[in-house]
Amino acid sequence: FVLGVGRDQITADWLEKWAGHDGLAKYHGLGGLHLNWDEYLTTLLRLPPEEVTVEFKRRGAGVGGWSKDNPYLQNHVYEYTEKIEPSRLAQRIINLRSDIAEEWIEDLALIPKENEEMWRSFFEKVRENGEDKVAHLQFPVFDKDFTDSNCGTSYRGGNYDLLKRFATLRAIQTFLMEKGGGKEGEISRDFLDRVFTVYGTDFEGDSHYGVDSKFIEALLDQAPKLVREQGSEDITMISPVSIAESVLGMRDEVARRWIDELQSVKDENTKLLTDYLMQSYST
């Protein structure tokens, strides 16, 4: 938000380059920070003010309608200094963190509706020979573009997409780490792991929108399989639909747990600022 719509390009450029975060302004993914969130903020809070030199060019020499023969209207490079105050930047980010947490509490509650939409589309395609004939009647919860600012912070749509992606990833990881279920559970976990290896490469890092739904669709497109254990007459059927149902159910649970955890964000921010002020007074 600060990098994209803060209306202060000089400060935005400084913040993006700080601690090696070049490219963060256009980053849409998980793991963009090189530091833990609290380390990022506490370090930024404690940095002293810094002056940066800014260069800009006044156009001349016939560019932009100026006379190219006028010696007073040639290209000139000017410099000035701009003061960067990292502690004020950090406090602004902390305030935004509280606002975004409030939005996420609301948005995570929509995950069950997202699951319902996935099932609606799946069964519609089953009925209509692979085509979702009413897909055009479905509308996204939020626009992807950051100009969707009438319903919260400017990047709410992008954040919502990442919430769905990360919650789905956590659900998949939970399924793969589960114990129990006997041989059927082991075979199902192995099947999901193989599907994830092929179709789950976009979950982490910078990637496009809709990673979660594309993966679930790929999972549901897999054909059921009959697996016979070596040296045994027992046959186990792998049902991609059942696995997808389990993953989406776990995604619901992840969302509910995150809603509870987000309730403490304001207290975390208050403690962060209190510790900073106490340390400032003591020094």
Side-chain angles (χ1 to χ4, degrees):
F1 182 91
V2 174
L3 297 178
V5 294
R7 299 181 183 179
D8 183 354
Q9 193 59 47
I10 297 168
T11 300
D13 289 344
W14 181 91
L15 184 62
E16 186 174 14
K17 291 176 182 177
W18 179 69
H21 290 99
D22 298 82
L24 191 61
K26 296 182 179 180
Y27 189 91
H28 182 71
L30 312 175
L33 288 182
H34 301 159
L35 308 170
N36 291 331
W37 71 269
D38 51 347
E39 184 183 1
Y40 181 95
L41 291 172
T42 53
T43 304
L44 197 59
L45 275 169
R46 288 163 173 77
L47 286 179
E50 178 180 331
E51 286 192 347
V52 296
T53 301
V54 182
E55 293 185 352
F56 72 95
K57 180 185 290 186
R58 191 191 73 180
R59 296 188 301 171
V63 179
W66 298 107
S67 171
K68 65 180 179 179
D69 298 320
N70 189 331
Y72 299 101
L73 294 175
Q74 300 304 303
N75 285 334
H76 292 285
V77 176
Y78 295 88
E79 291 185 351
Y80 67 95
T81 58
E82 185 79 13
K83 186 177 182 180
I84 304 294
E85 298 185 75
S87 62
R88 294 184 64 181
L89 265 176
Q91 291 176 55
R92 186 179 179 192
I93 294 171
I94 288 170
N95 290 335
L96 281 167
R97 185 172 182 263
S98 294
D99 294 340
I100 292 171
E102 291 294 326
E103 289 180 352
W104 286 4
I105 289 171
E106 296 177 6
D107 299 347
L108 284 165
L110 300 173
I111 294 294
K113 293 293 184 183
E114 292 285 346
N115 292 351
E116 290 176 10
E117 168 56 20
M118 284 189 178
W119 288 120
R120 181 210 62 76
S121 179
F122 171 69
F123 288 117
E124 176 72 10
K125 290 176 181 178
V126 171
R127 286 192 297 268
E128 301 295 339
N129 196 27
E131 182 182 0
D132 185 353
K133 292 186 175 181
V134 295
H136 65 287
L137 299 177
Q138 315 304 313
F139 296 95
V141 177
F142 301 109
D143 290 338
K144 297 177 183 178
D145 196 284
F146 71 84
T147 55
D148 181 34
S149 57
N150 292 327
C151 57
T153 58
S154 296
Y155 288 97
R156 189 168 187 174
N159 287 337
Y160 183 59
D161 178 76
L162 292 177
L163 283 175
K164 292 188 295 178
R165 188 199 301 185
F166 197 22
T168 307
L169 176 60
R170 280 288 177 261
I172 293 168
Q173 291 170 337
T174 300
F175 187 97
L176 293 176
M177 290 187 296
E178 273 196 335
K179 305 297 181 182
K183 198 62 184 179
E184 182 179 351
E186 182 181 337
I187 291 172
S188 295
R189 287 189 291 273
D190 181 66
F191 176 82
L192 178 61
D193 188 44
R194 284 185 278 114
V195 173
F196 183 73
T197 299
V198 175
Y199 298 102
T201 55
D202 292 330
F203 271 99
E204 298 194 62
D206 189 9
S207 192
H208 52 81
Y209 280 71
V211 170
D212 62 301
S213 57
K214 287 181 173 60
F215 176 79
I216 297 298
E217 288 169 5
L219 176 58
L220 290 169
D221 281 343
Q222 303 301 305
K225 297 182 182 296
L226 295 175
V227 178
R228 173 176 291 170
E229 185 180 355
Q230 187 174 3
S232 171
E233 295 298 320
D234 296 335
I235 295 177
T236 301
M237 188 182 81
I238 299 175
S239 170
V241 172
S242 296
I243 294 173
E245 185 177 17
S246 295
V247 169
L248 292 177
M250 291 175 179
R251 185 167 81 158
D252 277 356
E253 181 56 37
V254 168
R256 286 193 293 269
R257 188 168 64 250
W258 285 355
I259 288 173
D260 292 337
E261 292 175 358
L262 284 166
Q263 307 290 341
S264 64
V265 166
K266 284 188 176 181
D267 290 338
E268 291 174 353
N269 290 345
T270 300
K271 184 179 185 307
L272 202 70
L273 289 171
T274 301
D275 291 347
Y276 164 67
L277 291 173
M278 293 295 291
Q279 184 176 355
S280 299
Y281 288 138
S282 64
T283 55

